[in-house]
Amino acid sequence: MEASQRWATLGSDIVRAFVQHPQLKIHLKQLYQLNRHWRDAIEENVNGWIVKIDELGRDERVAVEGPELPERFGKLWKTLTVVNANLNLLEKLPSLKSLKVRGHDTTSFASLRFTAGNLTHLDLSGCRKIDAIGFWAIGHLTELQTLLLTCTKVSNLDLKQFCSGLPKLEELDLGWCELMGDDGMEHVGSLAEIKCLRLFGTRVTDAGLHFLKDLRKIQELNLGTCGAVTNEGMANLANMRELRKLNLGGTRVDGQGLKCLGHIGNLVVSGVQRI
């Protein structure tokens, strides 16, 4: 495809962004890919910043090369993906609402407390280097509604550090967190606004589910591959009348155990065949 044809197919917002900000050094091919299929165009091993600019209701997605943020544009950015970069740079983004951190080399999570206080969505999936100080910092993100910690080393004690500071949290993903067990569920049970909870691949048992019995707003619960969860533990879910999705694949629950959930309307259970 000729360059002129590619320009013609680009969205006007992306063309304007490229013309106004030539110092970003974005190739036309990259822009074309980002405009059509930006999710597929992002490489997992790319270092730098991938930014979504939300200005006047218009979405512009651009890739910024290198570890440094163009400071003059920082105030516009609402959604950001960070790859192996220094999170201290987030102080330049006062409007940031959504942050995804990718790459095992990122370690400066403690700075979240001071630089990302307005976050509502935080995705740290796969970040294995978050330490106790980092989890403590998460507990200061009082506006947070979504927290994704899949495949991290979050422990029961870490949950104690941050759960009490997240009164607005609605979605928590602890999938494949191998250090997570029943003691941590006591702190998860304090998240009164939680609507989506993923615990697949953890060490949670029936005893841990007891701490979740008062989560009345929960709509989705994933207990997949929690091999110690049995029919006995299902009684702890009986008061979750808003529950709509329940994953029990890889547990020891059978159709008999689901009888105590029969009063919950529109509940879809996967991994177990109802009687």
Side-chain angles (χ1 to χ4, degrees):
M1 180 180 293
E2 297 294 331
S4 59
Q5 292 177 305
R6 288 181 176 176
W7 277 109
T9 59
L10 285 172
S12 60
D13 292 340
I14 293 182
V15 173
R16 188 181 71 253
F18 181 70
V19 173
Q20 292 178 346
H21 315 315
Q23 63 271 41
L24 294 182
K25 299 178 180 180
I26 304 173
H27 299 295
L28 179 59
K29 181 179 180 181
Q30 290 176 294
L31 280 170
Y32 182 67
Q33 290 175 330
L34 291 172
N35 183 53
R36 293 192 309 166
H37 306 293
W38 60 265
R39 289 181 179 86
D40 298 331
I42 296 173
E43 298 290 340
E44 285 296 328
N45 59 355
V46 172
N47 289 318
W49 303 82
I50 300 168
V51 182
K52 179 180 178 182
I53 302 176
D54 186 356
E55 181 184 11
L56 301 178
R58 299 168 179 170
D59 291 341
E60 303 169 355
R61 185 166 288 272
V62 296
V64 182
E65 298 177 355
E68 295 297 327
L69 282 171
E71 186 171 359
R72 59 177 293 194
F73 310 125
K75 294 182 179 180
L76 300 176
W77 292 342
K78 302 288 182 67
T79 301
L80 179 66
T81 296
V82 181
V83 185
N84 294 338
N86 186 352
L87 297 186
N88 292 324
L89 295 172
L90 297 177
E91 61 186 344
K92 299 178 181 179
L93 303 175
S95 299
L96 193 65
K97 296 293 184 181
S98 179
L99 173 64
K100 180 177 180 180
V101 181
R102 292 159 54 188
H104 299 286
D105 295 334
T106 302
T107 58
S108 55
F109 295 100
S111 61
L112 286 172
R113 178 189 177 188
F114 306 102
T115 59
N118 294 319
L119 281 180
T120 60
H121 180 102
L122 179 60
D123 184 353
L124 300 177
S125 301
C127 294
R128 306 280 289 178
K129 291 189 176 182
I130 312 175
D131 57 14
I133 296 178
F135 287 118
W136 168 80
I138 292 173
H140 291 78
L141 304 178
T142 57
E143 299 299 314
L144 209 59
Q145 297 176 19
T146 299
L147 177 58
L148 309 182
L149 295 173
T150 318
C151 294
T152 63
K153 293 184 177 181
V154 59
S155 68
N156 298 321
L157 183 59
D158 294 326
L159 282 179
K160 182 179 180 180
Q161 290 275 54
F162 65 76
C163 278
S164 61
L166 305 177
K168 299 181 180 180
L169 196 66
E170 297 182 355
E171 180 180 359
L172 177 61
D173 193 332
L174 298 172
W176 299 120
C177 294
E178 66 270 17
L179 301 181
M180 186 55 50
D182 291 336
D183 290 343
M185 295 304 99
E186 180 177 2
H187 311 296
V188 174
S190 68
L191 299 171
E193 300 300 316
I194 204 75
K195 295 180 180 179
C196 178
L197 178 60
R198 302 184 186 95
L199 300 172
F200 56 89
T202 64
R203 299 180 180 181
V204 173
T205 71
D206 293 339
L209 296 182
H210 173 75
F211 295 112
L212 308 181
K213 61 185 179 63
D214 293 325
L215 296 179
R216 306 296 177 88
K217 296 184 179 182
I218 195 164
Q219 300 174 7
E220 179 180 343
L221 179 61
N222 191 328
L223 299 171
T225 68
C226 291
V229 172
T230 70
N231 288 346
E232 183 178 350
M234 293 300 96
N236 296 302
L237 312 185
N239 290 328
M240 298 179 179
R241 297 181 180 274
E242 299 297 318
L243 193 61
R244 295 295 176 265
K245 295 182 180 180
L246 177 61
N247 188 335
L248 296 171
T251 68
R252 293 162 59 188
V253 179
D254 57 28
Q256 190 70 28
L258 296 179
K259 286 186 176 181
C260 63
L261 305 180
H263 62 286
I264 303 179
N266 300 319
L267 176 60
V268 177
V269 180
S270 58
V272 176
Q273 185 175 0
R274 290 197 178 194
I275 294 178

mmCIF file of all heavy atoms in Angstrom, residues 13-38:
data_model
loop_
_atom_site.group_PDB
_atom_site.id
_atom_site.type_symbol
_atom_site.label_atom_id
_atom_site.label_comp_id
_atom_site.label_asym_id
_atom_site.label_seq_id
_atom_site.Cartn_x
_atom_site.Cartn_y
_atom_site.Cartn_z
ATOM 1 N N ASP A 13 -7.954 11.870 14.090
ATOM 2 C CA ASP A 13 -7.330 12.190 15.375
ATOM 3 C C ASP A 13 -5.880 11.734 15.411
ATOM 4 O O ASP A 13 -5.016 12.431 15.939
ATOM 5 C CB ASP A 13 -8.107 11.523 16.517
ATOM 6 C CG ASP A 13 -9.484 12.131 16.702
ATOM 7 O OD1 ASP A 13 -9.669 13.273 16.239
ATOM 8 O OD2 ASP A 13 -10.353 11.465 17.281
ATOM 9 N N ILE A 14 -5.616 10.538 14.821
ATOM 10 C CA ILE A 14 -4.249 10.023 14.817
ATOM 11 C C ILE A 14 -3.366 10.866 13.891
ATOM 12 O O ILE A 14 -2.228 11.180 14.214
ATOM 13 C CB ILE A 14 -4.237 8.546 14.395
ATOM 14 C CG1 ILE A 14 -4.921 7.709 15.478
ATOM 15 C CG2 ILE A 14 -2.821 8.062 14.166
ATOM 16 C CD1 ILE A 14 -4.929 6.239 15.190
ATOM 17 N N VAL A 15 -3.894 11.238 12.762
ATOM 18 C CA VAL A 15 -3.132 12.091 11.845
ATOM 19 C C VAL A 15 -2.798 13.412 12.527
ATOM 20 O O VAL A 15 -1.664 13.901 12.459
ATOM 21 C CB VAL A 15 -3.924 12.338 10.546
ATOM 22 C CG1 VAL A 15 -3.194 13.353 9.672
ATOM 23 C CG2 VAL A 15 -4.123 11.034 9.788
ATOM 24 N N ARG A 16 -3.788 13.993 13.205
ATOM 25 C CA ARG A 16 -3.541 15.264 13.888
ATOM 26 C C ARG A 16 -2.464 15.122 14.965
ATOM 27 O O ARG A 16 -1.598 15.976 15.119
ATOM 28 C CB ARG A 16 -4.837 15.783 14.509
ATOM 29 C CG ARG A 16 -4.684 17.199 15.070
ATOM 30 C CD ARG A 16 -5.961 17.729 15.704
ATOM 31 N NE ARG A 16 -6.272 17.060 16.950
ATOM 32 C CZ ARG A 16 -7.242 16.186 17.101
ATOM 33 N NH1 ARG A 16 -8.011 15.843 16.084
ATOM 34 N NH2 ARG A 16 -7.472 15.617 18.272
ATOM 35 N N ALA A 17 -2.512 14.003 15.700
ATOM 36 C CA ALA A 17 -1.526 13.790 16.752
ATOM 37 C C ALA A 17 -0.125 13.696 16.167
ATOM 38 O O ALA A 17 0.834 14.232 16.724
ATOM 39 C CB ALA A 17 -1.863 12.520 17.537
ATOM 40 N N PHE A 18 -0.010 13.016 15.028
ATOM 41 C CA PHE A 18 1.305 12.852 14.404
ATOM 42 C C PHE A 18 1.831 14.187 13.879
ATOM 43 O O PHE A 18 3.010 14.518 14.033
ATOM 44 C CB PHE A 18 1.199 11.840 13.261
ATOM 45 C CG PHE A 18 2.505 11.595 12.566
ATOM 46 C CD1 PHE A 18 3.524 10.906 13.193
ATOM 47 C CD2 PHE A 18 2.715 12.038 11.274
ATOM 48 C CE1 PHE A 18 4.731 10.674 12.562
ATOM 49 C CE2 PHE A 18 3.908 11.808 10.623
ATOM 50 C CZ PHE A 18 4.924 11.124 11.277
ATOM 51 N N VAL A 19 0.957 14.963 13.283
ATOM 52 C CA VAL A 19 1.368 16.249 12.727
ATOM 53 C C VAL A 19 1.758 17.235 13.832
ATOM 54 O O VAL A 19 2.742 17.957 13.729
ATOM 55 C CB VAL A 19 0.234 16.841 11.856
ATOM 56 C CG1 VAL A 19 0.583 18.260 11.418
ATOM 57 C CG2 VAL A 19 -0.013 15.956 10.632
ATOM 58 N N GLN A 20 1.006 17.231 14.928
ATOM 59 C CA GLN A 20 1.257 18.167 16.008
ATOM 60 C C GLN A 20 2.471 17.780 16.847
ATOM 61 O O GLN A 20 3.119 18.637 17.434
ATOM 62 C CB GLN A 20 0.023 18.266 16.914
ATOM 63 C CG GLN A 20 -1.174 18.929 16.251
ATOM 64 C CD GLN A 20 -2.378 18.948 17.165
ATOM 65 O OE1 GLN A 20 -2.407 18.255 18.175
ATOM 66 N NE2 GLN A 20 -3.380 19.721 16.795
ATOM 67 N N HIS A 21 2.767 16.469 16.896
ATOM 68 C CA HIS A 21 3.843 16.003 17.759
ATOM 69 C C HIS A 21 4.881 15.203 16.981
ATOM 70 O O HIS A 21 5.087 14.022 17.221
ATOM 71 C CB HIS A 21 3.288 15.145 18.886
ATOM 72 C CG HIS A 21 2.073 15.711 19.549
ATOM 73 N ND1 HIS A 21 1.971 17.040 19.917
ATOM 74 C CD2 HIS A 21 0.909 15.133 19.916
ATOM 75 C CE1 HIS A 21 0.801 17.247 20.493
ATOM 76 N NE2 HIS A 21 0.137 16.106 20.485
ATOM 77 N N PRO A 22 5.562 15.809 16.025
ATOM 78 C CA PRO A 22 6.518 15.063 15.196
ATOM 79 C C PRO A 22 7.678 14.495 15.998
ATOM 80 O O PRO A 22 8.315 13.536 15.572
ATOM 81 C CB PRO A 22 6.991 16.115 14.186
ATOM 82 C CG PRO A 22 6.752 17.433 14.861
ATOM 83 C CD PRO A 22 5.511 17.245 15.658
ATOM 84 N N GLN A 23 7.965 15.091 17.172
ATOM 85 C CA GLN A 23 9.094 14.612 17.950
ATOM 86 C C GLN A 23 8.861 13.218 18.542
ATOM 87 O O GLN A 23 9.781 12.584 19.056
ATOM 88 C CB GLN A 23 9.431 15.583 19.088
ATOM 89 C CG GLN A 23 8.322 15.745 20.116
ATOM 90 C CD GLN A 23 7.355 16.848 19.745
ATOM 91 O OE1 GLN A 23 6.983 17.000 18.588
ATOM 92 N NE2 GLN A 23 6.952 17.624 20.739
ATOM 93 N N LEU A 24 7.632 12.717 18.479
ATOM 94 C CA LEU A 24 7.369 11.369 18.961
ATOM 95 C C LEU A 24 7.986 10.316 18.045
ATOM 96 O O LEU A 24 8.120 9.157 18.421
ATOM 97 C CB LEU A 24 5.866 11.132 19.070
ATOM 98 C CG LEU A 24 5.140 11.972 20.109
ATOM 99 C CD1 LEU A 24 3.662 11.607 20.147
ATOM 100 C CD2 LEU A 24 5.743 11.774 21.490
ATOM 101 N N LYS A 25 8.323 10.702 16.821
ATOM 102 C CA LYS A 25 9.022 9.822 15.887
ATOM 103 C C LYS A 25 8.282 8.506 15.659
ATOM 104 O O LYS A 25 8.837 7.415 15.742
ATOM 105 C CB LYS A 25 10.434 9.532 16.376
ATOM 106 C CG LYS A 25 11.298 10.774 16.504
ATOM 107 C CD LYS A 25 12.681 10.448 17.030
ATOM 108 C CE LYS A 25 13.531 11.689 17.159
ATOM 109 N NZ LYS A 25 14.873 11.399 17.672
ATOM 110 N N ILE A 26 7.007 8.604 15.384
ATOM 111 C CA ILE A 26 6.208 7.407 15.139
ATOM 112 C C ILE A 26 6.147 7.156 13.634
ATOM 113 O O ILE A 26 5.804 8.041 12.868
ATOM 114 C CB ILE A 26 4.782 7.584 15.681
ATOM 115 C CG1 ILE A 26 4.844 7.939 17.158
ATOM 116 C CG2 ILE A 26 3.961 6.325 15.472
ATOM 117 C CD1 ILE A 26 3.509 8.303 17.724
ATOM 118 N N HIS A 27 6.464 5.954 13.241
ATOM 119 C CA HIS A 27 6.427 5.621 11.820
ATOM 120 C C HIS A 27 4.986 5.480 11.336
ATOM 121 O O HIS A 27 4.099 5.088 12.088
ATOM 122 C CB HIS A 27 7.184 4.323 11.571
ATOM 123 C CG HIS A 27 8.626 4.389 11.953
ATOM 124 N ND1 HIS A 27 9.520 5.210 11.320
ATOM 125 C CD2 HIS A 27 9.309 3.748 12.932
ATOM 126 C CE1 HIS A 27 10.701 5.063 11.872
ATOM 127 N NE2 HIS A 27 10.603 4.187 12.851
ATOM 128 N N LEU A 28 4.793 5.785 10.077
ATOM 129 C CA LEU A 28 3.467 5.699 9.493
ATOM 130 C C LEU A 28 2.910 4.282 9.608
ATOM 131 O O LEU A 28 1.726 4.081 9.883
ATOM 132 C CB LEU A 28 3.511 6.121 8.021
ATOM 133 C CG LEU A 28 2.185 6.058 7.263
ATOM 134 C CD1 LEU A 28 1.159 6.954 7.932
ATOM 135 C CD2 LEU A 28 2.396 6.469 5.809
ATOM 136 N N LYS A 29 3.749 3.279 9.438
ATOM 137 C CA LYS A 29 3.306 1.896 9.523
ATOM 138 C C LYS A 29 2.758 1.599 10.913
ATOM 139 O O LYS A 29 1.739 0.930 11.072
ATOM 140 C CB LYS A 29 4.457 0.949 9.195
ATOM 141 C CG LYS A 29 4.071 -0.524 9.249
ATOM 142 C CD LYS A 29 5.251 -1.405 8.878
ATOM 143 C CE LYS A 29 4.861 -2.872 8.939
ATOM 144 N NZ LYS A 29 6.012 -3.754 8.591
ATOM 145 N N GLN A 30 3.452 2.110 11.945
ATOM 146 C CA GLN A 30 2.992 1.902 13.315
ATOM 147 C C GLN A 30 1.634 2.552 13.533
ATOM 148 O O GLN A 30 0.736 1.971 14.142
ATOM 149 C CB GLN A 30 3.995 2.470 14.308
ATOM 150 C CG GLN A 30 5.301 1.690 14.390
ATOM 151 C CD GLN A 30 6.279 2.362 15.313
ATOM 152 O OE1 GLN A 30 6.742 3.461 15.040
ATOM 153 N NE2 GLN A 30 6.578 1.710 16.421
ATOM 154 N N LEU A 31 1.492 3.758 13.039
ATOM 155 C CA LEU A 31 0.223 4.469 13.195
ATOM 156 C C LEU A 31 -0.914 3.706 12.521
ATOM 157 O O LEU A 31 -2.003 3.582 13.067
ATOM 158 C CB LEU A 31 0.331 5.863 12.581
ATOM 159 C CG LEU A 31 1.033 6.923 13.426
ATOM 160 C CD1 LEU A 31 1.286 8.164 12.584
ATOM 161 C CD2 LEU A 31 0.187 7.271 14.634
ATOM 162 N N TYR A 32 -0.620 3.194 11.344
ATOM 163 C CA TYR A 32 -1.639 2.466 10.599
ATOM 164 C C TYR A 32 -2.081 1.219 11.374
ATOM 165 O O TYR A 32 -3.261 0.921 11.489
ATOM 166 C CB TYR A 32 -1.078 2.064 9.234
ATOM 167 C CG TYR A 32 -2.071 1.347 8.351
ATOM 168 C CD1 TYR A 32 -3.185 2.024 7.855
ATOM 169 C CD2 TYR A 32 -1.898 0.012 8.017
ATOM 170 C CE1 TYR A 32 -4.105 1.372 7.043
ATOM 171 C CE2 TYR A 32 -2.799 -0.642 7.207
ATOM 172 C CZ TYR A 32 -3.898 0.041 6.717
ATOM 173 O OH TYR A 32 -4.811 -0.607 5.934
ATOM 174 N N GLN A 33 -1.115 0.508 11.948
ATOM 175 C CA GLN A 33 -1.436 -0.678 12.723
ATOM 176 C C GLN A 33 -2.211 -0.320 13.983
ATOM 177 O O GLN A 33 -3.177 -0.981 14.351
ATOM 178 C CB GLN A 33 -0.154 -1.416 13.094
ATOM 179 C CG GLN A 33 0.523 -2.086 11.902
ATOM 180 C CD GLN A 33 1.846 -2.702 12.293
ATOM 181 O OE1 GLN A 33 2.520 -2.223 13.202
ATOM 182 N NE2 GLN A 33 2.228 -3.756 11.603
ATOM 183 N N LEU A 34 -1.786 0.724 14.648
ATOM 184 C CA LEU A 34 -2.438 1.123 15.891
ATOM 185 C C LEU A 34 -3.870 1.564 15.650
ATOM 186 O O LEU A 34 -4.758 1.335 16.470
ATOM 187 C CB LEU A 34 -1.651 2.259 16.557
ATOM 188 C CG LEU A 34 -0.285 1.865 17.110
ATOM 189 C CD1 LEU A 34 0.468 3.105 17.554
ATOM 190 C CD2 LEU A 34 -0.435 0.903 18.265
ATOM 191 N N ASN A 35 -4.092 2.198 14.500
ATOM 192 C CA ASN A 35 -5.438 2.670 14.192
ATOM 193 C C ASN A 35 -6.378 1.504 13.927
ATOM 194 O O ASN A 35 -7.534 1.516 14.317
ATOM 195 C CB ASN A 35 -5.390 3.586 12.968
ATOM 196 C CG ASN A 35 -6.758 4.163 12.644
ATOM 197 O OD1 ASN A 35 -7.408 4.737 13.500
ATOM 198 N ND2 ASN A 35 -7.187 3.994 11.411
ATOM 199 N N ARG A 36 -5.899 0.458 13.283
ATOM 200 C CA ARG A 36 -6.750 -0.676 12.920
ATOM 201 C C ARG A 36 -6.831 -1.710 14.042
ATOM 202 O O ARG A 36 -7.904 -2.135 14.430
ATOM 203 C CB ARG A 36 -6.211 -1.350 11.658
ATOM 204 C CG ARG A 36 -6.312 -0.494 10.406
ATOM 205 C CD ARG A 36 -6.033 -1.350 9.196
ATOM 206 N NE ARG A 36 -4.786 -2.110 9.360
ATOM 207 C CZ ARG A 36 -4.437 -3.129 8.590
ATOM 208 N NH1 ARG A 36 -5.225 -3.553 7.648
ATOM 209 N NH2 ARG A 36 -3.282 -3.747 8.779
ATOM 210 N N HIS A 37 -5.682 -2.155 14.527
ATOM 211 C CA HIS A 37 -5.644 -3.229 15.515
ATOM 212 C C HIS A 37 -4.562 -2.916 16.545
ATOM 213 O O HIS A 37 -3.531 -3.585 16.596
ATOM 214 C CB HIS A 37 -5.339 -4.578 14.847
ATOM 215 C CG HIS A 37 -6.260 -4.926 13.732
ATOM 216 N ND1 HIS A 37 -7.595 -5.202 13.928
ATOM 217 C CD2 HIS A 37 -6.046 -5.015 12.398
ATOM 218 C CE1 HIS A 37 -8.156 -5.485 12.756
ATOM 219 N NE2 HIS A 37 -7.250 -5.364 11.824
ATOM 220 N N TRP A 38 -4.780 -1.908 17.358
ATOM 221 C CA TRP A 38 -3.715 -1.479 18.258
ATOM 222 C C TRP A 38 -3.332 -2.568 19.256
ATOM 223 O O TRP A 38 -2.195 -2.667 19.667
ATOM 224 C CB TRP A 38 -4.091 -0.201 18.988
ATOM 225 C CG TRP A 38 -5.321 -0.268 19.846
ATOM 226 C CD1 TRP A 38 -6.587 0.087 19.503
ATOM 227 C CD2 TRP A 38 -5.398 -0.717 21.201
ATOM 228 N NE1 TRP A 38 -7.450 -0.097 20.544
ATOM 229 C CE2 TRP A 38 -6.751 -0.597 21.605
ATOM 230 C CE3 TRP A 38 -4.479 -1.205 22.122
ATOM 231 C CZ2 TRP A 38 -7.190 -0.944 22.876
ATOM 232 C CZ3 TRP A 38 -4.915 -1.562 23.388
ATOM 233 C CH2 TRP A 38 -6.244 -1.423 23.751
#
